Amino acid sequence: MELKRLGLALALSSVFFAGAAQAQQNDRFTLRIGAMDADASSELTANTTFMGQDYRYSQDFDFGSNEVSPRIDGTFRFSDRQRLVFDYFQYDKENTTTLDRDLSYDVYTIPAGSFARAEVEFTLASLMYDYAVVDTDTFELGLQIGAEWAKLDGKLLAEAGPYRYEDSDQEDGYAPVVGARFTFTPSEKWLINLQGQYLDADWGDFGDYDGSISRANAAVEYRFTPVFGAFVGYDWFKLDARRGGRDGSLGLDHRFKGPVAGVSFSF
């Protein structure tokens, strides 16, 4: 008798979880609006050849305190296994620091001890087609392909008495992006989503720049109602940009990471 009761309980629970998971998986449209507490760090690198010798320079720098950056993503499901995924992220931060060494550019030299202000603005938007190669009542594994647009805008100002150096550069472009998604819906109210994407600048049009953009994120969502929910998670971005010249190359390895939180709307 106890075995029969246990079997009946397991059967009823499996039916409940399957129906609950499918309730979320059958959402036609989901929009998530949130923010990322972004911690940014960078490494500036340079490579050159002089009189047959290779030289490399690298300098780590950060942008002080974290920056709260907007983050939006959406999903439109148009069949059981197919969906469109949209992502948007923007980071804008400046920081002032004191130079620990001389900064030379052409005939100008800004001595150590003077101040320098750097500002960086990074925007990333993508639209991807997602196909669930594995689709069960509680688990999905999706493969993604689409297009991603990125923009990097940097400014530098250094000043010491009458000496002043100011420069800025802006570049944007687009390229194909590939990715993968893992979604687990253990119950009617809970959803766990893991996702990663990769872009190579050589695949698209980024002007004189080479490099890549990598991204990974994880989120846990709770549904208060079938329409309204809230989520928390963690995002990680890596921007590796390089620009070559006649005598060498200049590179920037820029990373963003931090927790995310927001609300979701599903229809």
Side-chain angles (χ1 to χ4, degrees), residues 108-163:
Y108 302 99
T109 298
I110 307 298
S114 58
F115 88 90
R117 179 183 296 121
E119 180 181 0
V120 62
E121 180 180 340
F122 177 63
T123 306
L124 186 70
S126 61
L127 180 63
M128 294 171 290
Y129 168 76
D130 180 299
Y131 182 80
V133 294
V134 177
D135 182 15
T136 70
D137 292 334
T138 59
F139 166 74
E140 283 189 353
L141 174 61
L143 298 182
Q144 302 171 338
I145 187 170
E148 195 161 71
W149 174 82
K151 177 183 177 183
L152 180 63
D153 189 356
K155 299 177 183 178
L156 176 65
L157 169 66
E159 201 170 74
Y163 301 101

Side-chain angles (χ1 to χ4, degrees), residues 20-231:
Q22 286 184 347
Q24 289 197 42
Q25 290 181 0
N26 290 332
D27 292 334
R28 178 69 65 178
F29 177 74
T30 299
L31 177 66
R32 296 181 179 90
I33 302 174
M36 176 182 178
D37 186 24
D39 177 19
S41 61
S42 297
E43 180 186 12
L44 182 66
T45 61
N47 295 278
T48 188
T49 301
F50 179 70
M51 298 184 65
Q53 297 292 323
D54 294 330
Y55 294 91
R56 175 180 172 84
Y57 166 83
S58 66
Q59 174 68 50
D60 295 329
F61 59 95
D62 61 54
F63 287 86
S65 60
N66 292 7
E67 180 75 9
V68 177
S69 303
R71 178 189 181 280
I72 302 172
D73 70 82
T75 301
F76 175 69
R77 179 189 294 271
F78 54 92
S79 76
D80 290 341
R81 290 178 177 264
Q82 300 179 87
R83 66 180 71 187
L84 293 177
V85 180
F86 167 77
D87 284 288
Y88 175 84
F89 169 77
Q90 184 180 61
Y91 176 88
D92 188 357
K93 178 72 172 177
E94 69 174 35
N95 190 39
T96 301
T97 188
T98 301
L99 296 179
D100 60 1
R101 68 179 74 179
D102 293 349
L103 175 65
S104 299
Y105 180 77
D106 288 342
V107 297
Y108 302 99
T109 298
I110 307 298
S114 58
F115 88 90
R117 179 183 296 121
E119 180 181 0
V120 62
E121 180 180 340
F122 177 63
T123 306
L124 186 70
S126 61
L127 180 63
M128 294 171 290
Y129 168 76
D130 180 299
Y131 182 80
V133 294
V134 177
D135 182 15
T136 70
D137 292 334
T138 59
F139 166 74
E140 283 189 353
L141 174 61
L143 298 182
Q144 302 171 338
I145 187 170
E148 195 161 71
W149 174 82
K151 177 183 177 183
L152 180 63
D153 189 356
K155 299 177 183 178
L156 176 65
L157 169 66
E159 201 170 74
Y163 301 101
R164 178 184 178 93
Y165 166 67
E166 186 173 5
D167 193 19
S168 64
D169 193 16
Q170 176 181 304
E171 188 69 41
D172 68 312
Y174 57 89
V177 59
V178 295
R181 172 188 56 86
F182 168 86
T183 303
F184 179 55
T185 49
S187 72
E188 182 180 4
K189 294 182 177 294
W190 290 97
L191 180 144
I192 301 170
N193 194 71
L194 306 175
Q195 191 171 237
Q197 290 104 30
Y198 177 80
L199 173 152
D200 194 305
D202 291 338
W203 298 347
D205 180 15
F206 279 92
D208 298 329
Y209 284 85
D210 295 320
S212 63
I213 299 175
S214 306
R215 178 188 180 188
N217 62 77
V220 178
E221 180 181 339
Y222 180 79
R223 291 281 183 88
F224 297 99
T225 72
V227 174
F228 177 73
F231 68 90

